[in-house]
Amino acid sequence: MIRTKYIRTILFSALQRYKLILLIFSLILFSSCYRYDWSGLQKVVTAIGHEYLRFSVLAINLQGIHEGYGSDTASWEDRYGRIADWMATSGKKPDFIALQEVHGLSGDVKSYDTLFTLITKIKEKTSVSYRIAYLIVRPVPQGLRPTLWAGNALLYNPDRIENNTPISNIVPSNFDDESFLGWRLRKSLPCQDPSSQYQALCSLIDGDGLGWISSYRSPDNNRWYAGPVFARFQLKTAAGSHIHIYNVHVQYDAAVGQPITYLNQFKNLSDGIELNYGSSRLYPPVVLGDFNIGEADILPHFTDFEIAGWSREVMGVLIGKQSKFPSKQQANVVEKLILPEDYEDPTGIYACGHVGLVWSDHCAVFVQFSPISGN
C-alpha cells in the first residue's frame, strides 16, 4: 500500500513537471515569433509558481456542540453546515482547516461524530473529502456526566496536500497519557465507536492521527493540557518541501492574568521542531487558531512572527518572518477574510453575524498565501 502511494506520488510529480516543461517550451516558440520578447515567458512562469505553490488556511473555534445564543438557538449541525455552504458559494477550498474546541467524544456525541458531520457536509457541497491529520484531546470533567474529550483538530485537502509529519524514534504517547510533560509525538483520540452512518469514515484519519505537542500542567489547578499541536505537510506540486502548521488554543494562567505557561510551551515546541526539521521548509511556519489575545497584544508574545490575518477578537493567523525562519519561498498574503461576515454585534452575543449566520461564538479567519504578492 505504501509502495503504491509512493509510486503514485512520483508519477504525479513527474506529470506536473512535464506539463510545466511543455508550457514553457510552447511559450518560447510563441515568443520567437515576436522578436524574442521574453516578458511573456516571465509572466507565465510567475503565474505557474503563483498557482502551484500557493496555499490557504482557515481557522475556526468550533465551540463544540453549543447551541444557545442569547434567546436564540442554532444547532451545531446547522452551524457546521454553514461552513460548507460558504465553501460552496465562495468556491474556496482551504488546504488546511485548523479547529479548536472540537468535541471528540462525550455523553452527547460518539467518537468523531462532530468532525465526520463537518467533513460530510463539506463533501456534499464541494465534492472534497477532507482528511483528518489529528484530533488531540484532553479530558474535560463534567460533574456527574460522562467525561468530555475535546481539543484541537486539523483537516486538510488531500487533492492538494499530503501529511508528512516527522516521526521520531520515541514511541508516541497514547491519547489519554498524562504522565509525560514537554514536547512529544502523541496519538489522537481513537475512532472506536462512531455513529453507524459514520463508521466507514474512520479511514479518513491518518493512521494514529499523530501530532507533536508540548504538554504541561496548569499552575492554577494542576490539570494536564496538551498545549500547541504541530504537524508537517507538503504540497503535491512541491514534494520534499514542507509547510509547518502550529494549531493553538492559548490558555491563560488565572493567577497572573497572562498566558505565560502556554506560550513557554509553544516556544519549547517550535524551537525544537524548527531546529530539527526546519531545513526543508517551503515557507516560514504558520501559527493559527484561538489566541485568546487581541490583535494589539499578540506580537509581543510572538516576536518572530507577523500577523497574516486577524478577526475583530481573538482568532488569527500568524506567519513566521523570513529573516527568522529562512525558507525556500516568502509567504505573501494575497487574500484574507473574516467569516462568516465582518459584523460587530453591539450586544456582544454574536460574533461575525447574527444567529442565522454564526459558525461559532468566534469569528473565523481565512488566509491565502502565495510566493509572490498580488492576486
Side-chain angles (χ1 to χ4, degrees):
M1 181 69 181
I2 295 176
R3 181 176 178 83
T4 301
K5 180 179 178 182
Y6 177 71
I7 294 173
R8 189 163 58 244
T9 300
I10 293 176
L11 292 176
F12 181 86
S13 299
L15 179 60
Q16 299 306 315
R17 288 194 293 268
Y18 172 76
K19 289 180 178 178
L20 176 60
I21 293 170
L22 182 60
L23 181 57
I24 293 175
F25 178 71
S26 299
L27 187 58
I28 291 174
L29 292 180
F30 177 81
S31 299
S32 67
C33 299
Y34 291 90
R35 300 181 181 179
Y36 300 97
D37 180 5
W38 296 101
S39 61
L41 175 60
Q42 293 172 344
K43 291 179 180 178
V44 169
V45 170
T46 299
I48 292 171
H50 183 269
E51 180 64 27
Y52 279 84
L53 295 181
R54 68 165 51 197
F55 74 99
S56 59
V57 299
L58 178 65
I60 313 171
N61 181 319
L62 276 183
Q63 202 187 8
I65 57 173
H66 183 78
E67 298 189 340
Y69 295 86
S71 60
D72 299 313
T73 299
S75 74
W76 65 270
E77 293 94 340
D78 285 346
R79 292 193 292 107
Y80 292 12
R82 292 168 188 168
I83 300 170
D85 289 339
W86 168 76
M87 292 173 62
T89 56
S90 68
K92 300 191 185 303
K93 303 170 184 176
D95 293 306
F96 304 100
I97 303 178
L99 305 168
Q100 304 81 45
E101 291 191 23
V102 179
H103 287 190
L105 174 65
S106 72
D108 300 300
V109 291
K110 292 192 173 184
S111 63
Y112 282 86
D113 273 13
T114 52
L115 287 185
F116 291 157
T117 297
L118 176 60
I119 288 172
T120 299
K121 289 180 179 294
I122 291 174
K123 185 176 181 180
E124 289 173 352
K125 296 288 184 175
T126 69
S127 299
V128 177
S129 183
Y130 277 79
R131 292 193 62 82
I132 301 170
Y134 59 75
L135 170 54
I136 302 295
V137 295
R138 70 177 181 89
V140 180
Q142 298 190 106
L144 297 177
R145 304 182 68 231
T147 296
L148 165 65
W149 291 91
N152 290 8
L154 192 72
L155 312 183
Y156 68 94
N157 181 351
D159 294 342
R160 287 178 33 84
I161 302 295
E162 291 182 344
N163 189 345
N164 199 241
T165 298
I167 307 300
S168 74
N169 293 327
I170 301 174
V171 176
S173 59
N174 202 26
F175 84 99
D176 58 353
D177 181 4
E178 297 185 7
S179 64
F180 187 87
L181 302 178
W183 68 289
R184 184 173 181 149
L185 202 59
R186 190 172 183 86
K187 294 180 182 180
S188 287
L189 177 75
C191 188
Q192 292 182 333
D193 186 31
S195 295
S196 57
Q197 72 267 31
Y198 292 142
Q199 288 180 358
L201 298 189
C202 289
S203 61
L204 294 178
I205 305 167
D206 288 345
D208 289 324
L210 298 178
W212 287 88
I213 65 169
S214 188
S215 57
Y216 65 97
R217 289 195 175 277
S218 168
D220 298 322
N221 52 29
N222 201 40
R223 287 180 182 168
W224 185 92
Y225 286 83
V229 188
F230 165 82
R232 185 179 73 175
F233 304 86
Q234 63 184 15
L235 289 163
K236 287 187 174 180
T237 52
S241 298
H242 298 113
I243 298 174
H244 289 191
I245 303 288
Y246 293 87
N247 187 355
V248 301
H249 189 185
V250 176
Q251 305 294 321
Y252 270 69
D253 299 339
V256 296
Q258 292 288 330
I260 295 174
T261 305
Y262 189 99
L263 295 177
N264 285 341
Q265 295 307 313
F266 172 79
K267 180 171 174 53
N268 291 341
L269 177 62
S270 60
D271 284 354
I273 290 293
E274 301 307 324
L275 176 64
N276 286 277
Y277 304 109
S279 61
S280 62
R281 282 190 305 261
L282 179 61
Y283 292 102
V286 177
V287 184
L288 75 170
D290 184 343
F291 289 83
N292 274 319
I293 305 173
E295 181 176 6
D297 302 317
I298 190 66
L299 290 184
H301 296 288
F302 291 86
T303 56
D304 293 340
F305 294 82
E306 298 173 335
I307 294 176
W310 206 267
S311 70
R312 59 175 64 257
E313 23 101 77
V314 297
M315 298 294 296
V317 179
L318 306 181
I319 185 70
K321 296 177 180 177
Q322 181 77 2
S323 59
K324 296 292 185 179
F325 303 97
S327 304
K328 297 176 183 179
Q329 299 290 340
Q330 173 69 48
N332 297 284
V333 176
V334 294
E335 186 177 14
K336 52 186 174 181
L337 299 171
I338 300 175
L339 301 162
E341 65 177 359
D342 190 359
Y343 164 80
E344 184 174 10
D345 172 34
T347 69
I349 295 175
Y350 311 120
C352 293
H354 57 78
V355 71
L357 292 176
V358 292
W359 295 0
S360 167
D361 61 339
H362 291 297
C363 304
V365 180
F366 171 86
V367 177
Q368 176 100 300
F369 294 99
S370 171
I372 62 173
S373 59
N375 294 322

